[in-house]
Amino acid sequence: MNTQENKKLVMEGYQLFQAGDIRALLNRYHDDAEWVGPESDYLPFAGCFHGKQGIAQFFMKLDATVQALRFEPKEIISEGDTVVVMGESSWLAKSTGISYDNPWVHVFKIRDGKVALFKGYWDTSPAEHALHPAMTGEQAGAKPLHH
């Protein structure tokens, strides 16, 4: 695939996510795809997920925990088999009713017309505070940070 086809694949994936069609979204991923996100001991949807089943678990955990109020890809860059997307989002923590904003960067590696690797970069702190508002700074810092 060329860079334009790779960009189209990724943008169609975002449209499927926004439409709630996770099954069709997963069809754009290889069976052995890797999903890598920031680590957090306080977010059930944080961390790494392996294969389509693992990625499906990510989306189930995400849906059980937060609701996307706004999810906007803003800029997309494609070079070779890599697509980088920068965007902004707003979320609602379902357990507390607290909303938060979170900019993000997604990096996709495409192989044979499907996503082989997804890496998401975003600050976990706003989600952690929205889901656990009673955590003080000391409690939040009690666990070692993962880098």
Side-chain angles (χ1 to χ4, degrees):
M1 291 178 67
N2 65 38
T3 57
Q4 290 304 316
E5 292 169 325
N6 290 344
K7 286 168 91 170
K8 182 179 178 197
L9 173 77
V10 169
M11 292 310 292
E12 288 173 352
Y14 286 129
Q15 291 168 352
L16 292 169
F17 167 71
Q18 291 171 324
D21 193 350
I22 302 306
R23 185 176 307 239
L25 173 62
L26 290 173
N27 287 335
R28 294 174 169 355
Y29 283 76
H30 280 281
D31 290 340
D32 64 346
E34 295 290 322
W35 183 282
V36 181
E39 294 287 338
S40 171
D41 292 326
Y42 303 104
L43 301 176
F45 52 86
C48 299
F49 298 85
H50 309 284
K52 281 186 182 180
Q53 288 182 330
I55 297 169
Q57 288 179 356
F58 163 82
F59 283 108
M60 286 187 288
K61 290 177 179 186
L62 183 73
D63 183 58
T65 309
V66 295
Q67 175 187 347
L69 302 174
R70 180 176 64 94
F71 190 87
E72 295 180 31
K74 293 289 194 178
E75 187 172 350
I76 185 167
I77 302 162
S78 184
E79 181 70 34
D81 66 353
T82 303
V83 178
V84 178
V85 184
M86 292 166 277
E88 298 173 356
S89 59
S90 298
W91 301 88
L92 176 69
K94 291 182 176 181
S95 62
T96 64
I98 297 172
S99 61
Y100 63 96
D101 296 327
N102 212 334
W104 47 265
V105 175
H106 295 162
V107 179
F108 298 84
K109 288 287 190 180
I110 311 299
R111 183 181 78 230
D112 302 323
K114 291 188 175 191
V115 177
L117 173 67
F118 166 90
K119 288 187 178 181
Y121 299 93
W122 47 275
D123 184 2
T124 60
S125 182
E128 290 168 350
H129 290 289
L131 289 165
H132 307 284
M135 281 191 341
T136 64
E138 186 176 302
Q139 287 172 319
K143 294 197 177 209
L145 295 175
H146 299 280
H147 296 282

